Structures are given as structure tokens and as C-alpha cells.
Amino acid sequence: MAEIRSYPFVRHFRADASSHILYFRRGRLRASGRGLAFWFLPLSSSIAEVPVDQREQAFLFHGRSADFQDVTAQGALTYRIENPEAVAEAVDFTIDLRRGAYLRDPLEKLSSTLANLAQRHAWDYIAGTPVRKVLAEGQAQIRERIEHALLGDARLKAMGLAVLSVAVLSVKPTPDTERAIEAPVRERILQEADEAAFARRAMAVEKERAIQENELQNRIEIAKRNEQLIAQEGQNERRKATERTEAARISAEGEAERSRILGLAQADELRAVEGAKVALEKARIAVYESLAPQIVLALAAQQVAGKLERITIEHLNVSPDLLASMVTSLVGATTRKLEEPRSP
């Protein structure tokens, strides 16, 4: 707002840069511009202050859709005064020369004008559209219709107003209508949630079944591996037993062969020794055969005497019968020796 200072017979006016000032003196425009400061006489002066900064106007209105349902639209539009002198001609922006306040409420009038225009174009759309479509597409459609209508409105251009933007914040039905519309959607959402829960449970059951089946397959595989391991161990044990038996057989055969060879060697050695003894005995007998009986008897006596050296004989009884048999045997042997023909 402007600042007015009072002095005797005169006053000083100073405005902000965002305000366009129209200074009239005695019915004539003396000054027009933004952020003016000047002295004036209150009895012959009139001042209008038009704000030229951007302004935002909220709107809230009700309408009835094509299917007779009440709908509430809420939004805001941004506007700016481009031609302050034209707006001042359409709306009274005169200020009190003592306090600097508006004598009337020009900004409220502008806001009401813009809100009525926006509401009229929004009603045209809502009245011809079912409530479900309004709720689904209403925000964008209402914004586009209001913005297009206000930008092309000749009355606003003549007044020097420019609408910069329009925003529709919400489009809502009555609470009962909203609950009725939401009920099928809520039921569908709940049904989808139940189906998702059922699917999640089914998936969990399927995963549990797959886990149990996997565990069962693992147990079966482990049992098969154990069976193969037991069979392999049995086969290994049988092979070890066979190898041990074969080794024992080979060892026994080798031992038998060694024994046989040793026995043959010992037999050959024994035969050789015995043969030598027999040959020696035969040679001795042949020598004895070539000797006279007296010599043989003497040798026998010598042999007996040699043995008697090692044997202690305390008593020797020679009976006549023993002596007679000895003599008879000796005579018989001598006689046979003598009767044998001599070789020429």
C-alpha cells in the first residue's frame, strides 16, 4: 500500500514499485506510473493505486454431472494487470488520501469476476460429463477449458487483465458418491490382494514341495551312493580276499616247489652219499673176498678189539656152545671160500 504523510495544507505520497499510480487533480490525469512519489493538495486531488504484480486467486465451486451427481472442483489461477489505466476505468481503485487504503474493494471484484468466468466454463464441462469420467479426467479437462476460455476472453483483454496459469487441485464427488464409486474398486483391490496372498501361499507351498522333493531326491541319491559304496567295498574286499588267496596259493606253490626242489636235492645228495657208501662197502667186501679166512677173522677180531676199547666189559662169559657156533661159522665160511672156483 502507498504511504501518505500529512503536513499543514499539503501531503506527501509515496508508492511501491509494484503499484501503478494514477494521480488526478481537478479531474485531470496529472501523473501515471509505477512507484511515484509527489506532493499533493488533498482537497483537489484523487489518487488510484493499481497493483501490477502477479496475483493468485483460489476458486472452489460445485457442479452437477451428467448423471446427476454433485462434484466439487478446487483450484487456483494466476493473473496480472497489464493495462492499469483500462482496469482503473472498469474498477474503482481509488484510495483514501489520509490512510492510503482502498475506498472500495477492487481486488475482490476482480477475483470474483475471474472466479465466475472459471466456474462457468468448468460447469459446462461437468454438466455434460458422467461423474466417473469427471473424476478420472476432470482435473486436466477443467484446467484446459478454463485456461483456454480465459486466455481468449475479450472482456478480460479489454479490462487489461492477463491470466498467466490455471491449476485445478482436486475434483471430488460427495462422500456418499465417493464411497459408492470406491466400493467396487476397493473390492477389486481386496480381491487382487487376496489373489496375491493366495498366489503367494501357493508359491510358498510349491516351494516347500520342491524343497521336500529335492531333499527326498538327495536322500535317494545318498542312499544310491551308499549302496554303490557298499557294493564297491564288498567288491574290494572280495578282490582283496582273492588277491590274498592267490598270493597264499602262489606262496604255497612256491614253498612246495622249493620244498620239492630241496627234497629232490636232498634225495639226490642222499642217493649220492648212499651210493658212495654202497660202493665203498662193495669195494670193502670185494677186498674181504680176496683175503684169506684167517686174515678176515683177524680183521674182525681187530674191529671187535677196537670197539672194546670204548666199551667197558666187566664180565665176559664164553660158553662152549657160543664158541662152538663161532668156530663152526668161521669154518663154514672158510670152506665156501675155498670151494669157490678161482678165476684163471
Side-chain angles (χ1 to χ4, degrees), residues 258-311:
R258 285 195 298 272
S259 299
R260 186 182 65 80
I261 294 173
L262 182 59
L264 292 176
Q266 291 178 354
D268 292 339
E269 183 181 0
L270 183 59
R271 282 194 297 271
V273 172
E274 293 298 328
K277 289 181 179 181
V278 170
L280 183 58
E281 190 67 25
K282 287 181 177 180
R284 184 183 298 172
I285 292 172
V287 172
Y288 287 158
E289 289 178 351
S290 62
L291 295 178
Q294 294 86 0
I295 297 173
V296 174
L297 183 59
L299 290 174
Q302 185 180 0
Q303 289 291 332
V304 172
K307 291 181 179 182
L308 290 177
E309 291 178 357
R310 294 188 299 269
I311 300 174

Side-chain angles (χ1 to χ4, degrees), residues 13-299:
F13 178 88
R14 186 177 66 83
D16 295 334
S18 61
S19 298
H20 188 95
I21 305 302
L22 300 174
Y23 172 48
F24 294 89
R25 184 180 179 186
R26 294 178 181 177
R28 293 184 181 181
L29 183 62
R30 297 295 183 178
S32 177
R34 299 175 61 176
L36 297 180
F38 52 85
W39 297 90
F40 68 94
L41 296 173
L43 296 179
S44 61
S45 300
S46 177
I47 301 175
E49 183 181 1
V50 181
V52 293
D53 56 343
Q54 291 184 4
R55 298 275 171 164
E56 185 172 299
Q57 175 61 41
F59 58 83
L60 176 66
F61 50 85
H62 303 278
R64 179 163 291 186
S65 64
D67 48 1
F68 308 104
Q69 300 297 323
D70 292 335
V71 178
T72 301
Q74 181 181 2
L77 56 87
T78 304
Y79 69 95
R80 183 169 61 86
I81 297 175
E82 292 185 341
N83 191 346
E85 295 181 2
V87 172
E89 292 180 359
V91 182
D92 187 5
F93 282 89
T94 304
I95 63 174
D96 186 356
L97 297 181
R98 289 178 298 177
R99 297 180 291 109
Y102 289 115
L103 295 177
R104 294 167 182 82
D105 197 352
L107 296 177
E108 182 67 24
K109 187 176 181 179
L110 287 180
S111 299
S112 177
T113 300
L114 293 173
N116 290 334
L117 290 175
Q119 184 174 359
R120 185 181 66 187
H121 294 293
W123 277 350
D124 293 339
Y125 168 75
I126 294 174
T129 308
V131 65
R132 292 181 181 274
K133 190 174 181 180
V134 171
L135 297 178
E137 305 174 357
Q139 286 186 253
Q141 292 294 331
I142 292 174
R143 182 187 62 79
E144 291 178 1
R145 288 186 176 236
I146 293 176
E147 188 175 18
H148 180 72
L150 295 182
L151 289 177
D153 192 276
R155 180 184 173 187
L156 295 180
K157 291 182 179 180
M159 290 177 62
L161 295 176
V163 177
L164 303 179
S165 64
V166 178
V168 178
L169 303 179
S170 66
V171 178
K172 293 183 178 181
T174 61
D176 294 338
T177 304
E178 186 175 7
R179 284 192 295 269
I181 294 174
E182 289 178 353
V185 179
R186 186 180 297 109
E187 292 296 330
R188 185 171 65 252
I189 293 174
L190 293 176
Q191 185 177 0
E192 291 177 355
D194 292 339
E195 291 178 356
F198 295 152
R200 190 163 54 249
R201 291 178 184 175
M203 186 178 297
V205 172
E206 181 66 21
K207 288 184 178 180
E208 184 67 23
R209 185 192 62 79
I211 292 173
Q212 292 180 357
E213 184 176 355
N214 190 17
E215 290 179 354
L216 182 60
Q217 291 294 332
N218 290 335
R219 292 175 61 185
I220 293 174
E221 185 66 23
I222 291 173
K224 289 183 179 179
R225 296 287 180 86
N226 290 333
E227 182 180 1
Q228 294 177 358
L229 179 61
I230 293 172
Q232 187 65 36
E233 288 179 350
Q235 184 177 357
N236 293 339
E237 292 297 329
R238 289 192 296 272
R239 185 176 298 174
K240 289 180 181 179
T242 303
E243 294 294 334
R244 286 195 296 268
T245 303
E246 184 67 19
R249 185 185 63 80
I250 294 174
S251 178
E253 289 180 355
E255 188 66 26
E257 184 66 20
R258 285 195 298 272
S259 299
R260 186 182 65 80
I261 294 173
L262 182 59
L264 292 176
Q266 291 178 354
D268 292 339
E269 183 181 0
L270 183 59
R271 282 194 297 271
V273 172
E274 293 298 328
K277 289 181 179 181
V278 170
L280 183 58
E281 190 67 25
K282 287 181 177 180
R284 184 183 298 172
I285 292 172
V287 172
Y288 287 158
E289 289 178 351
S290 62
L291 295 178
Q294 294 86 0
I295 297 173
V296 174
L297 183 59
L299 290 174

